[in-house]
């Protein structure tokens, strides 16, 4: 019971318009006490109060329900509005005005979204007030209706927030499950990959095409697992993990990534301009992954009539790696979506992956303290990774 009462008082407190409504009611009627009460068959509790008469009531204050007229409102669901107690045949001898010493009074019912009675908007004063004038009475009714509607809005908002919280918890559990599943799949997949390699060395020529397909498929599965693992790690707050070290010939690793993709897409031409002796403090496998993701994106979406160009430059303390493909320009509204997870172009086919490649490439760039940018014109689209050339932080 107390928990429900506290929740009801908190709900009224969250309605930002309540203080303004109470002030407006006091100004309209001239009453010195205006409040919102939570009323049940056995209790009366103040939820919000504007008290200029010194009754000493505040949110959570309780009155004996039998001493209030709100009990009558709760029973009948009809408003009680009294201009003058002493002039009212119905209330001049009633115990409530005598207990609290008021001459004018109103109590108008408030309802929950379900239609269940919640309580009342009420007010009183020690002197006579003209509350039953049509304009005043109608305005009080409108204020009560507004509060009831706000109660409904708060309930809907609370339910939406609770649903969102549950969905966020479910999403986190789902991401944890995916991460663990990816980890557990690696062991049997490694067995399959090793077995395929052995068979490729010993099998007859007639089986080589099948084994080559199995080899490519298993490596594709491994790549997908890596993408999902990186994504879930980033979503769970871990970011892209790095193993930073000094690399004196980074071009060797980058050339290997280019050669691997060239073998997968033999019909496409890749032109690389990599200077000799690229020295960088970085995580080389991660930069290779970044380049591989950019290359796959360029090959899939670029024009097959023109080569994909890879270029590395080191100058003025900056390292730049660019991948350029020919083809129509990417619309500006879509450029902003490119680095979001699971985003795929409208013309993407089922064999183009999960839509995590550019997202992971961007996360790798950020983890290195760099940035991944895209420039797209009518003739070409260029993705450029750019970062300062730096060494390890000295203790």
């Amino acid at each position: 019971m107390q928990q429900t009462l506290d929740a009801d008082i908190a709900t009224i407190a969250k309605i930002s318009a309540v203080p303004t409504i109470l002030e407006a009611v006091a100004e309209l009627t001239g009453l010195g006490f205006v409040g919102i009460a939570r009323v049940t068959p056995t209790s009366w509790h103040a939820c919000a109060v504007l008290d200029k008469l010194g009754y000493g009531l505040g949110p959570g204050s309780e009155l004996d329900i039998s001493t209030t007229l709100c009990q009558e409102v709760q029973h009948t669901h009809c408003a009680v509005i009294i201009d003058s107690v002493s002039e009212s045949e119905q209330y001049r001898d009633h115990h409530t005005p005598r207990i609290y010493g008021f001459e004018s009074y109103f109590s108008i019912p408030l309802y929950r979204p379900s239609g269940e009675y919640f309580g009342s908007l009420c007010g009183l004063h020690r002197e006579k007030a003209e509350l039953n004038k049509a304009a005043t009475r109608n305005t009080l009714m409108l204020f009560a209706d507004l509060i009831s509607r706000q109660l409904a809005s708060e309930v809907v908002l609370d339910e939406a927030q609770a649903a969102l919280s549950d969905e966020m918890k479910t999403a986190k559990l789902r991401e944890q499950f995916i991460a663990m599943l990816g980890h557990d799949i690696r062991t049997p997949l490694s067995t399959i990959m090793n077995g395929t390699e052995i068979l490729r060395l010993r099998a007859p020529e007639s089986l080589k095409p099948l084994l080559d397909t199995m080899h490519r498929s298993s490596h594709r599965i491994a790549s997908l697992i890596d993408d999902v693992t990186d994504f879930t790690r980033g979503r769970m707050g871990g970011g892209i993990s790095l193993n930073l070290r000094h690399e004196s010939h980074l071009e060797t690793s980058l050339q290997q990534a280019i050669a691997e993709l060239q073998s997968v897409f033999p019909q496409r031409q890749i032109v690389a301009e990599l200077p000799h002796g690229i020295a960088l403090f970085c995580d080389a496998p991660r930069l290779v992954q970044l380049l591989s993701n950019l290359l796959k994106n360029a090959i899939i979406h670029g024009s097959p009539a023109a080569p994909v160009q890879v270029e590395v430059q080191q100058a003025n303390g900056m390292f730049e790696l660019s991948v350029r493909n020919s083809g129509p320009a990417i619309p500006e509204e879509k450029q902003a979506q490119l680095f979001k997870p699971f985003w795929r172009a409208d013309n993407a086919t089922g064999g183009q992956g999960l839509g995590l490649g550019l997202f992971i490439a961007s996360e790798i760039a950020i983890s290195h303290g760099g940035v991944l940018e895209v420039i797209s014109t009518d003739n070409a689209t260029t993705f450029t990774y750019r970062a300062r050339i730096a060494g390890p932080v000295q203790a």
Side-chain angles (χ1 to χ4, degrees), residues 148 234 273 286:
S148 294
E273 295 182 18
R286 285 297 189 184

Side-chain angles (χ1 to χ4, degrees), residues 5 42-46 57-58 60-65 100:
L5 173 63
T42 59
S43 67
W44 185 104
H45 288 86
L57 297 178
S61 297
E62 183 177 6
L63 296 178
D64 183 345
I65 184 65
Y100 296 108

Side-chain angles (χ1 to χ4, degrees), residues 55-240:
Y55 280 104
L57 297 178
S61 297
E62 183 177 6
L63 296 178
D64 183 345
I65 184 65
S66 65
T67 68
T68 71
L69 288 178
C70 289
Q71 184 180 44
E72 178 180 328
V73 175
Q74 195 265 339
H75 286 156
T76 65
H77 287 215
C78 295
V80 172
I81 302 178
I82 309 169
D83 289 349
S84 173
V85 170
S86 59
E87 298 175 6
S88 170
E89 292 184 6
Q90 183 177 359
Y91 294 106
R92 67 166 59 113
D93 297 322
H94 198 284
H95 64 276
T96 297
R98 190 166 54 249
I99 292 172
Y100 296 108
F102 61 78
E103 179 67 14
S104 53
Y105 175 90
F106 77 86
S107 180
I108 302 172
L110 304 174
Y111 298 95
R112 296 184 187 276
S114 61
E116 176 191 358
Y117 179 80
F118 175 88
S120 65
L121 171 65
C122 53
L124 56 85
H125 199 61
R126 295 191 179 106
E127 299 174 2
K128 178 180 178 179
E130 295 183 350
L131 303 179
N132 274 298
K133 290 173 58 176
T136 303
R137 185 185 183 93
N138 290 341
T139 303
L140 291 175
M141 293 293 185
L142 285 173
F143 278 132
D145 183 63
L146 175 60
I147 294 170
S148 294
R149 291 176 184 273
Q150 287 296 311
L151 278 171
S153 297
E154 287 299 326
V155 169
V156 171
L157 179 60
D158 287 345
E159 291 176 349
Q161 289 176 336
L164 177 60
S165 178
D166 289 343
E167 180 59 30
M168 291 175 67
K169 291 177 183 177
T170 301
K172 188 170 184 178
L173 288 173
R174 183 165 54 244
E175 289 166 2
Q176 291 173 339
F177 170 76
I178 292 173
M180 290 186 291
L181 181 63
H183 179 270
D184 292 342
I185 288 175
R186 290 182 189 277
T187 299
L189 179 61
S190 295
T191 302
I192 293 172
M193 294 172 71
N194 292 335
T196 302
E197 287 295 333
I198 294 172
L199 289 174
R200 290 176 74 197
L201 295 174
R202 300 180 179 180
E205 287 297 323
S206 60
L207 292 179
K208 288 293 180 67
L210 174 61
L211 292 172
D212 286 342
T213 300
M214 293 173 62
H215 171 76
R216 289 192 298 270
S217 296
S218 60
H219 277 275
R220 176 163 172 74
I221 293 171
S223 177
L224 291 173
I225 292 172
D226 288 340
D227 284 351
V228 170
T229 301
D230 286 338
F231 170 71
T232 53
R233 185 184 291 115
R235 292 279 291 182
M236 292 165 60
I240 295 291

Side-chain angles (χ1 to χ4, degrees), residues 354-376:
L354 299 173
L356 290 173
L358 292 179
F359 167 75
I360 291 173
S362 178
E363 291 295 302
I364 293 172
I366 293 171
S367 295
H368 277 86
V371 64
L372 182 60
E373 300 173 331
V374 60
I375 296 177
S376 188

